[in-house]
Amino acid sequence: MTAVIADRIESAARAIDVARNLAAEFAVGAAARDRDRELPYAQVDRLAASGLLAITVPAAFGGADLPPTVVAEIVRIIAAADPNIAQIPHSHFVYLNLLRLAGDPAQQARYFGAVLDGARIANAQSERGGPTVADIATTVRPEGERLRIDGAKYYCTGSLFADLLAVLTRLDDPNAESGLAPGEYVVYLPADTPGVRIVDDWNGIGQRTTGSGTIIFDGVLVEPDQLVARNAAVRAPTGYGAYAQLLHAAIDAGIARGALTAATDFVRQYSRPWFEAGVERAVDDPLLVQRFGELAVTVTAAEATLSAAGLAVDAAVEGGGTRSAVALPADVTTGRSDAVAHASLAVATAKILADRAANEVSAALFEVAGTRSAAADLNLHHFWRNARTHTLHDPVRWKYQHIGRALLHDAPPPQHGVF
């Protein structure tokens, strides 16, 4: 084992230990924060101060350069404690990955350095009103020697806690004044840039404290060197989409584990046995024991599949290698493309099982815990609301399609994935 690999393994172990310690802190009061919609400013500050938000900065820029498997495990651990907090850094890691894949050296040095100094990145990507979620109306266009952004973004998770916003835009430059190639650009800009208005208006039934509100861009002026062309990451076999989806699956798997833990604790402390069971304690009811066994298998399967998918994404990001647990005919693609296709299918499988586990176990919590668990002040339903809300992010029915087409038609999955 080389010294570099040994150092990376040690760094990964330390990062996971830090995540476990933070998760223990974040679990305290998580239900109450969700119930009262108390935004977790202090907890996000703790997360940033821990150094975990800088673990993917490449070694060439002074970072630990930890792989997707480690990031996914950290997200899963935190999501089991408080899925709101776990979702906040999702786009932070995704847009650091975009910089790694598509940023020029000067941009990488600037923004990786900022993250090493504690900066947090949030997304400004999704829009409403277009024919599909992939249609972008927010524009960046020439304005003298600078460029101007106009538009509105919704579901901007983490924006209330962010130092930098990663804004997805479409170049509007019919006269080619800017010298930029047509297409989509992600603009990295400070959250306090004049013309940026962040609105705390997220009113979803779940993930209520993720800071996922609206951002208005009204004549926001930026420099050309703040723009990163997105196509370099999403239109080539880079694993960009698989990486982003892996972290979403990690959130869902964490919710499932958190719900199972909450159900176990509640039944041990408060639940009464059904009178027909003929036992004195709920934990001795054979039908309840059976149901907990079933739920544990569901959660463990989701976690194991997530781990396998993480290894496949590691291989894709690092240029190929170990094949994932999901079979794809060897002649579909070769080399890096082959590894990315396998990673995408592995992540699709993980997303399906994590989605299923999060929704099933968070609902079954009430089934196994009984009437007392439905008390509104306990807010145990935050697991179900969080699962139901977060799993709406992208439909798992399309994951089945990608897996089925690979098996029946030797067709590789889409390269871009869904962010």
Side-chain angles (χ1 to χ4, degrees):
M1 180 184 298
T2 68
V4 172
I5 294 175
D7 287 346
R8 204 177 190 199
I9 292 172
E10 184 179 352
S11 295
R14 285 199 303 268
I16 290 172
D17 282 344
V18 169
R20 287 177 178 145
N21 291 333
L22 284 176
E25 292 181 27
F26 296 163
V28 178
R33 286 193 300 272
D34 179 278
R35 182 191 61 220
D36 301 333
R37 199 174 178 274
E38 177 186 336
L39 293 171
Y41 286 105
Q43 289 76 18
V44 175
D45 286 345
R46 287 280 293 126
L47 181 62
S50 74
L52 289 181
L53 298 184
I55 61 173
T56 63
V57 172
F61 295 92
D65 205 8
L66 295 183
T69 43
V70 177
V71 182
E73 179 61 6
I74 287 169
V75 169
R76 187 197 67 80
I77 289 168
I78 294 174
D82 188 334
N84 289 276
I85 296 173
Q87 191 179 349
I88 290 167
H90 175 279
S91 53
H92 173 92
F93 288 117
V94 169
Y95 282 110
L96 283 181
N97 192 35
L98 181 78
L99 276 171
R100 182 182 67 83
L101 294 169
D104 65 37
Q107 292 170 327
Q108 292 172 339
R110 181 196 311 171
Y111 296 118
F112 287 145
V115 168
L116 288 172
D117 288 338
R120 313 163 196 174
I121 303 173
N123 86 85
Q125 175 163 313
S126 294
E127 298 186 6
R128 296 174 181 165
T132 74
V133 70
D135 292 281
I136 303 302
T138 298
T139 58
V140 58
R141 66 177 188 270
E143 180 98 344
E145 295 182 356
R146 306 175 77 185
L147 296 120
R148 169 178 174 149
I149 303 174
D150 291 283
K153 298 288 186 176
Y154 304 89
Y155 317 122
C156 300
T157 297
S159 57
L160 294 177
F161 314 96
D163 302 295
L164 294 169
L165 301 175
V167 188
L168 179 58
T169 65
R170 173 179 53 82
L171 182 63
D172 179 16
D173 186 13
N175 298 321
E177 299 173 42
S178 66
L180 298 170
E184 294 178 348
Y185 288 82
V186 172
V187 186
Y188 290 77
L189 75 159
D192 60 359
T193 301
V196 174
R197 184 161 61 96
I198 301 175
V199 184
D200 180 16
D201 61 353
W202 170 242
N203 65 350
I205 63 170
Q207 299 296 89
R208 299 177 63 216
T209 63
T210 56
S212 299
T214 298
I215 305 181
I216 308 298
F217 301 92
D218 184 8
V220 178
L221 296 178
V222 297
E223 302 295 338
D225 63 2
Q226 292 176 254
L227 275 65
V228 176
R230 189 167 180 255
N231 278 351
V234 300
R235 299 300 177 192
T238 62
Y240 177 77
Y243 191 173
Q245 283 295 295
L246 178 72
L247 302 188
H248 279 304
I251 294 169
D252 296 337
I255 293 173
R257 176 58 67 181
L260 183 60
T261 299
T264 302
D265 292 344
F266 194 92
V267 169
R268 285 174 174 169
Q269 296 180 57
Y270 305 113
S271 295
R272 296 184 294 177
W274 185 243
F275 69 93
E276 291 177 285
V279 296
E280 295 184 359
R281 303 184 306 164
V283 294
D284 296 322
D285 181 338
L287 297 183
L288 203 60
V289 170
Q290 172 75 19
R291 186 63 176 128
F292 267 97
E294 294 168 352
L295 297 175
V297 168
T298 296
V299 174
T300 302
E303 291 172 340
T305 309
L306 178 71
S307 296
L311 292 174
V313 178
D314 284 359
V317 167
E318 295 180 6
T322 305
R323 286 175 179 262
S324 75
V326 179
L328 180 71
D331 60 351
V332 173
T333 52
T334 58
R336 186 175 179 86
S337 296
D338 185 56
V340 170
H342 279 84
S344 295
L345 292 174
V347 171
T349 303
K351 186 70 169 63
I352 289 169
L353 291 184
D355 181 301
R356 183 184 301 167
N359 285 297
E360 178 185 349
V361 179
S362 61
L365 184 158
F366 303 100
E367 169 195 337
V368 296
T371 306
R372 293 184 184 185
S373 65
D377 61 314
L378 296 176
N379 196 30
L380 289 173
H381 56 293
H382 79 94
F383 291 104
W384 179 84
R385 289 187 290 99
N386 290 333
R388 185 61 282 169
T389 301
H390 184 259
T391 55
L392 294 175
H393 186 275
D394 61 295
V396 294
R397 60 185 178 273
W398 279 99
K399 311 300 182 189
Y400 287 108
Q401 285 287 314
H402 300 156
I403 294 167
R405 289 170 182 170
L407 287 172
L408 295 176
H409 303 297
D410 293 349
Q415 290 178 356
H416 56 78
V418 177
F419 172 60

